[in-house]
Amino acid sequence: MPYAIEMEDVSRHFGSVKAVSDMTMQVPAGLTFGLIGPNGSGKTTLIRMVAGLISPTRGRLRVLGRHPGERTVAIRTGYMPQADALYRDLPVRENLNFFATLYGVPRAARKARIEEVLALVEMLEYANRPVETLSGGMKQRVPLACALVHSPELVLLDEPTVGVDPELRRTFWNYFRTLASQGVTVVVSTHHLDEAGRCDQLALMRGGRLLAMDTPAALLQRSGQPDLESAFLHFAGVTNHA
Amino acid sequence: MPDGSVPAFSKQTGIGASVGRIAGLSRRIIRQLAADHRTLGFVIAAPALIMTLLYFLTNITPAPPVVAVQAAAAKDLPAAAAWQAEVITALQKTGRVEASKLSPAYAEEPAKAVTDGQAYAVLILPSPSPTGSQPVQVVVDGSDPTANQTVLAALSQAMAAGQPAHPPVSVAVQYIHAAGFKLMDFFAPVFIPFFVFFFTFLLTVVSFLRERTGGTMERLFASPIGAAEIILGYLGGFLVFALIESLIVLFFTIYVLKIHYQGSLASIFVVEVFLTVLGVNLGIFLSTYAKNELQAVQFIPVVIIPQALLAETFWKVSDMSWLLRGLADAMPLTYSNLALKDIMLRGKSLGDVAMYLVALGAYTLLTVGLSAVAVRRAR
């Protein structure tokens, strides 16, 4: 499948607020794709539309070749919202087991798969601790494990590295690259421009609009800027004058 | 500090600083409450509502129990009829009961007047005999402890007033529904559904609310699970909980409080299942109208307490004025209480209480519909 996500003139309005306006882009399958933009640029709204949580006000959106929110799409998608979205009174393993059950991971494979994702996020030794007793850094690995427990083809991660220390952030990005190398499409939203360079492709967003979409190297080249931060400002400025 | 200057951190210690921190915290809390208009309105309205209800409820006087008086055997017709009239007059004079002649239809089987609900008690007068050894037979329904006492008190009062023309009589009392129901026995059938309903409702409201506010609801909606599945999943979990809960309450009432009961456990559970489905779905529906746990708890005085007061719990719906009765008739718990009283106090079957179950089922279906709408809307 060439594209994991296809959108054509997609807009989403909340009353008079235009959260996303006329976005047209294609996300190729099997790479890490960064949604880059400041707070309020429409990243979360876009991810929630792709996750099938809200429908576009206008436009055509296809996820894994189908209508988002369809059950078959939901099963093949992993979603990690901005909030922890965990059952804090339950142990880590119970949380994973719940989501594995929710996504229909077969009983026989469940246990092994849970151990696998626990190992991936380096949480094996804390697996039986209730989530609420975990420290902040440890707690943040759990939603990622929950989003991956059913081996999805498409992973939507809404700001997975907010408040994550630099060491763990590096570990996370290594996971994302590993996943992409296995053919998984990893969509990551972030407002950290320093980590955007690790993505295969980037979509720069501002005010609900797509400023530019390309590989990090191509964005630097097109803008003639030395770093992505300057490149972002360059594209934002160009749009403002246009 | 030889120069006597005050160290900068002195303001951090001492009573003044402590009072300052406390006042600051108090102020913050007051501000939070003031910003929550609903909580503010609740603090004022809920006590008013409950006190209004109590005002009306305490004015209720139970209808006097009906006592039918059966004359002695036909061979003593004139004397027997006169005695019957005298007894009725004496009983009426007590002002405690509604006394009348027993309908001739029940002449052969006076106790049937009680089981048919025509009278709460039947007095069977013996043929006057020179020895006066034959007792007055009293057949009492027995399932209402207050009415039992009223009947017996009226009887002894009437006897004490005396009919000198007749030999003194002893009284033999026979209860149809197990002798000596205590007031507690009378309340047991309403405790069980109340606890089940109360806890399933409250727990559902709070857990659904947490699901919503904790972001896990959104996580559920992104997953393949559908609205109906969410409701059923909740139902399944709470049904197990409710059955355990009703088992505990039931065993406690039967074996610890030694409450008397008749009827089958299976019938009681059927009613519990209705209540659980009702409680869970009402909880899901109403949880969407609460922003936080504090607001969730506010449903207790609105949903739970009026039902606890009105739904045939402490006072009989049939004794209420039209207004209270209308309110009670609109409450689902009324029907489960009526059904369980019939099952547990009078040993009736599910078939006998089918009408109550139909009403309860209608409410259950209504809340299922409401919660389905609520879950879809939460999306």
Side-chain angles (χ1 to χ4, degrees):
Chain A
M1 183 181 46
Y3 296 117
I5 305 166
E6 299 159 84
M7 54 185 85
E8 227 179 278
D9 295 322
V10 167
S11 300
R12 172 69 204 207
H13 302 166
F14 295 99
S16 61
V17 179
K18 293 172 179 171
V20 169
S21 303
D22 307 316
M23 291 257 311
T24 300
M25 66 175 188
Q26 284 90 27
V27 177
L31 45 71
T32 52
F33 188 92
L35 284 173
I36 316 298
N39 291 326
S41 58
K43 306 186 298 287
T44 296
T45 305
L46 196 68
I47 286 187
R48 294 183 74 222
M49 280 194 280
V50 175
L53 289 165
I54 49 175
S55 337
T57 313
R58 262 202 325 268
R60 182 177 168 276
L61 176 62
R62 279 282 174 274
V63 178
L64 300 173
R66 307 181 71 103
H67 190 267
E70 267 183 38
R71 199 167 284 209
T72 50
V73 177
I75 289 172
R76 293 155 66 197
T77 307
Y79 169 56
M80 174 181 164
Q82 231 166 348
D84 280 355
L86 296 168
Y87 298 92
R88 289 161 174 274
D89 39 356
L90 293 181
V92 175
R93 200 186 298 273
E94 292 281 328
N95 271 279
L96 285 168
N97 191 55
F98 173 69
F99 286 110
T101 325
L102 215 57
Y103 282 87
V105 178
R107 180 181 282 271
R110 212 181 294 157
K111 208 166 179 258
R113 180 59 192 163
I114 288 170
E115 298 307 306
E116 217 173 288
V117 288
L118 279 172
L120 187 75
V121 297
E122 296 164 19
M123 285 291 291
L124 273 173
E125 57 180 308
Y126 306 107
N128 294 323
R129 295 245 313 253
V131 171
E132 60 196 358
T133 67
L134 297 175
S135 70
M138 284 193 281
K139 204 180 283 177
Q140 265 156 335
R141 308 175 197 203
V142 187
L144 182 63
C146 287
L148 298 176
V149 73
H150 58 294
S151 318
E153 296 165 40
L154 169 66
V155 188
L156 308 168
L157 308 169
D158 196 0
E159 310 235 3
T161 55
V162 167
V164 175
D165 63 70
E167 199 182 332
L168 183 62
R169 197 185 295 176
R170 177 168 302 185
T171 319
F172 270 22
W173 278 99
N174 288 338
Y175 301 152
F176 302 160
R177 299 225 49 92
T178 311
L179 285 169
S181 71
Q182 293 165 354
V184 176
T185 312
V186 183
V187 177
V188 183
S189 80
T190 181
H191 57 255
H192 290 297
L193 282 156
D194 52 330
E195 60 185 32
R198 296 167 180 270
C199 295
D200 292 319
Q201 277 206 30
L202 295 177
L204 306 185
M205 289 181 71
R206 189 163 182 252
R209 291 181 181 276
L210 180 66
L211 299 178
M213 193 193 112
D214 220 322
T215 62
L219 287 171
L220 290 180
Q221 201 186 0
R222 277 168 57 191
S223 64
Q225 301 292 328
D227 55 63
L228 281 168
E229 194 171 323
S230 317
F232 184 89
L233 292 173
H234 168 82
F235 285 111
V238 165
T239 329
N240 282 347
H241 295 303
Chain B
M1 299 261 168
D3 61 351
S5 70
V6 181
F9 57 80
S10 73
K11 286 181 180 166
Q12 308 281 318
T13 57
I15 291 174
S18 175
V19 169
R21 284 193 294 266
I22 293 166
L25 180 59
S26 305
R27 203 176 88 116
R28 197 204 80 201
I29 288 170
I30 291 163
R31 288 214 162 187
Q32 281 178 315
L33 281 175
D36 190 348
H37 294 149
R38 187 163 143 177
T39 301
L40 213 58
F42 167 81
V43 167
I44 299 158
L49 175 75
I50 290 164
M51 291 182 63
T52 309
L53 277 178
L54 276 172
Y55 172 77
F56 283 113
L57 285 166
T58 47
N59 277 337
I60 291 173
T61 45
V66 174
V67 176
V69 181
Q70 159 89 313
K75 61 182 163 69
D76 315 295
L77 198 58
W83 191 21
Q84 182 189 29
E86 268 178 66
V87 170
I88 289 171
T89 315
L91 282 172
Q92 287 287 73
K93 263 190 190 162
T94 66
R96 294 168 185 253
V97 295
E98 198 74 53
S100 63
K101 287 185 188 177
L102 181 70
S103 154
Y106 294 108
E108 293 301 314
E109 228 186 314
K112 201 164 177 299
V114 176
T115 47
D116 284 0
Q118 294 297 312
Y120 188 78
V122 174
L123 242 63
I124 305 159
L125 302 177
S127 301
S129 87
T131 57
S133 61
Q134 269 184 295
V136 172
Q137 278 184 50
V138 188
V139 182
V140 185
D141 176 279
S143 62
D144 181 347
T146 319
N148 295 349
Q149 285 175 2
T150 310
V151 167
L152 295 182
L155 197 57
S156 60
Q157 196 181 333
M159 293 299 166
Q163 305 97 40
H166 300 283
V169 287
S170 55
V171 176
V173 182
Q174 176 203 341
Y175 293 96
I176 286 188
H177 296 294
F181 266 95
K182 289 177 298 210
L183 199 62
M184 190 64 192
D185 300 338
F186 189 65
F187 284 129
V190 297
F191 280 154
I192 295 164
F194 180 77
F195 282 128
V196 167
F197 179 72
F198 179 76
F199 286 118
T200 50
F201 171 75
L202 200 66
L203 288 176
T204 309
V205 170
V206 173
S207 51
F208 223 75
L209 179 81
R210 283 193 181 153
E211 194 102 68
R212 217 156 42 87
T213 55
T216 50
M217 183 70 89
E218 164 129 332
R219 194 70 184 67
L220 288 185
F221 286 142
S223 84
I225 199 168
E229 293 164 332
I230 293 176
I231 294 175
L232 287 175
Y234 261 74
L235 265 181
F238 279 104
L239 211 52
V240 171
F241 166 81
L243 290 189
I244 293 171
E245 158 110 319
S246 44
L247 266 180
I248 293 169
V249 177
L250 204 59
F251 276 86
F252 184 78
T253 48
I254 294 169
Y255 293 107
V256 180
L257 300 176
K258 305 215 187 297
I259 299 300
H260 174 87
Y261 90 106
Q262 311 182 356
S264 80
L265 278 177
S267 305
I268 297 170
F269 274 131
V270 169
V271 182
E272 307 274 280
V273 170
F274 273 103
L275 282 170
T276 307
V277 179
L278 189 81
V280 167
N281 284 287
L282 195 64
I284 291 174
F285 172 62
L286 287 178
S287 80
T288 58
Y289 293 96
K291 274 193 291 193
N292 50 46
E293 267 100 342
L294 193 62
Q295 289 195 342
V297 172
Q298 292 164 17
F299 288 124
I300 296 172
V302 177
V303 176
I304 303 292
I305 294 180
Q307 300 211 71
L309 293 176
L310 286 170
E312 187 80 17
T313 316
F314 304 104
W315 297 276
K316 294 173 99 171
V317 172
S318 55
D319 292 337
M320 292 176 184
S321 69
W322 64 270
L323 179 65
L324 292 178
R325 197 179 169 149
L327 282 172
D329 283 347
M331 291 177 176
L333 226 54
T334 303
Y335 302 98
S336 62
N337 284 348
L338 285 168
L340 279 175
K341 277 190 173 179
D342 269 358
I343 290 169
M344 292 181 68
L345 291 176
R346 299 174 191 114
K348 293 200 176 176
S349 70
L350 284 177
D352 296 330
V353 297
M355 280 312 291
Y356 299 142
L357 293 183
V358 167
L360 198 57
Y363 274 104
T364 307
L365 280 180
L366 178 72
T367 56
V368 170
L370 287 176
S371 76
V373 170
V375 172
R376 281 175 201 285
R377 210 185 39 193
R379 209 177 158 130

